[in-house]
Amino acid sequence: MEIDKVFSEIGEFGSYQRKIFFALLIPTSIFGAFMMLQLVFAGATPDYFYCRTDGVKEAIRNGCSNVNRTCHYEYDDAFTSIVSEWDLICDQSYKPSLAQSIFMLGLLFGSFLFGYISDKYGRLWALYPAIAGAVIFSFISSFSNSFTMYTTLRFFAGICQAGVGLATFVLATEILGPSKRALAGSLAGAFFAIGIMLFAYIARMITNWRVLSILTSAPGVLAILYYWFLPESPRWLLSQGKVLKAEAILKHIAVKNGRGEKVDHIKLIVPPVSHTRRSYSMLDLFRHPVLRRRTVIQFYSWFVNSAVYYGLTIGAAGLSSNKYFSEALSGLIEMPGYVISPILLNRVGRRYSLVGAMLVGGVACTVILFLPAGETYIKTALALLGKLGISISFTFIYVHSAELYPTVVRNAGLGLCSVAARLGGTVAPLLIPLGTVYPNLQFLVFGLLTFTAGLFNFGLPETLNKNLPETIEELDGINPHKTETMMIDLPDDRVKLLEAAMMEEEDQTTEC
């Protein structure tokens, strides 16, 4: 029996799976939002600061042009940040952005590292050290005594945070049946948006950056409980040839879901030896022509989604003079999309839903360039529509990408996609100043990027209600499981003989 059929028997989103899913994604998604947004407030520049020289206090104006080298800086007491603590203003004003870039660089490295660990050693072996590292490095960074120490610790926190995001989403997806994977993507995005709003509120209440940084680590501490109840992915176990362990987990899920009568029917198809003993890496994503085409399109799409998403989020600061309200609004505008996402994904399909969201967001952003001057409300509405479209697209692309890649390289594929997203997030701040070259030019760039990515995604297959591919060979329409059902109840010596015969037949076919 194929594993997707097993889930249809024992429950695609039963009570036990719901407990695992929500316990896994709620803390880590909120934790991820806190980690990503920390520098929005911890690295904020105070609205007013002053130069005190020889007992004379003078407000700094005109871009620090009136500041001398003997100046002692003083700041208003609305909040503290790394800017006010280490005087990161004037000729040092680039450093908060540098700190964010270094954190994003950590995410980039982490995508490679934990993508490999997850596929090689299992989802849990990637998740546990990633969460522990993210919590520890983030917590220690709260006590940094220099900018160098802070950015170094944030770099390592970024590495680990990449592992948290990858492992949790893949594991949460792989314990569900095929018809519920769209719901998983939507709920993950919704939890992250809630994290954005919650963190904006917390930052408004807690104005000391060190205390705020400590609280950033708090949701991750809850993940310690995972050790006692979180199962390994049965899909990963099956891809590694660990059939008995995969069956044991599926039987446990069946019992917990109240489907105990199905336990005796759970007998998974044995993967061929050639697939279970081979190690896969990101290079395998480019060796197979079908997989290579999918990977190139996915890489560009993830880059665009991240660049436009973060670009519009950062640009949302202009929607209000209150940065806390603006940040909360950027999270709130995403929520309607997550409500309709499962409906669209399950009725319209993955491909057309993704393409539609990108095209709508792209058109909305592009139109802004052609608005007459002074149309503030229309511009704001279109910018929010663009943010809504790209946030929906980001949800869809997680689900679609996870279903496009075979199990043996799924985490490597999502890891490479995450690399593209990190590159897009790094580029985003560089696109916003285009508005100073020509009014609203940045929105044209956002729109064209999103629109072209939507067109490219027409070239990807639909995955709605399709079984997840387990091996790369299945992309050619070859299902190695079909000839193996007879192997289930055979003695070990007969199984070995049959495997040898199958391998010999494959060799002869190759020679022909």
Side-chain angles (χ1 to χ4, degrees), residues 209-396:
W209 79 269
R210 293 185 183 274
V211 177
L212 183 64
S213 180
I214 292 173
L215 289 178
T216 299
S217 312
V221 177
L222 298 175
I224 295 174
L225 302 174
Y226 291 161
Y227 181 80
W228 285 276
F229 72 90
L230 198 63
E232 180 57 271
S233 165
R235 294 183 187 276
W236 178 83
L237 289 170
L238 181 61
S239 73
Q240 301 300 304
K242 301 177 181 181
V243 181
L244 293 179
K245 290 184 178 181
E247 289 179 348
I249 290 175
L250 292 171
K251 290 176 180 179
H252 181 71
I253 293 175
V255 172
K256 291 292 185 179
N257 283 346
R259 304 281 184 90
E261 72 279 2
K262 302 291 185 180
V263 167
D264 293 335
H265 302 287
I266 299 177
K267 289 187 177 181
L268 293 172
I269 293 173
V270 181
V273 175
S274 60
H275 297 301
T276 58
R277 293 182 179 176
R278 179 184 169 187
S279 296
Y280 292 88
S281 68
M282 286 189 179
L283 293 178
D284 290 287
L285 300 174
F286 298 94
R287 288 176 177 144
H288 190 281
V290 174
L291 201 55
R292 180 169 58 248
R293 185 168 180 268
R294 293 183 182 184
T295 298
V296 171
I297 295 175
Q298 288 292 293
F299 191 91
Y300 179 69
S301 298
W302 279 72
F303 173 86
V304 169
N305 271 265
S306 183
V308 176
Y309 178 86
Y310 287 111
L312 291 176
T313 300
I314 296 172
L319 298 178
S320 170
S321 59
N322 186 325
K323 59 178 174 291
Y324 304 104
F325 175 78
S326 297
E327 198 62 46
L329 183 63
S330 71
L332 180 63
I333 195 61
E334 299 180 25
M335 297 305 293
Y338 300 132
V339 174
I340 65 174
S341 289
I343 301 174
L344 292 175
L345 286 175
N346 287 322
R347 294 188 179 181
V348 180
R350 276 59 159 152
R351 180 175 60 174
Y352 288 117
S353 296
L354 176 62
V355 170
M358 285 185 173
L359 295 183
V360 169
V363 170
C365 290
T366 303
V367 170
I368 294 177
L369 180 70
F370 305 100
L371 290 177
E375 296 291 346
T376 304
Y377 291 110
I378 298 178
K379 174 183 175 181
T380 300
L382 289 171
L384 291 177
L385 179 59
K387 176 68 186 299
L388 177 62
I390 201 65
S391 62
I392 294 176
S393 171
F394 228 152
T395 301
F396 292 167

Side-chain angles (χ1 to χ4, degrees), residues 3-37:
I3 192 168
D4 281 323
K5 292 182 179 179
V6 173
F7 278 116
S8 68
E9 294 288 330
I10 67 176
E12 296 190 74
F13 197 38
S15 58
Y16 180 70
Q17 290 151 295
R18 289 195 296 270
K19 291 177 183 177
I20 295 295
F21 180 84
F22 289 116
L24 185 63
L25 277 186
I26 291 178
T28 55
S29 295
I30 293 176
F31 176 59
F34 285 14
M35 290 286 287
M36 294 294 293
L37 291 177

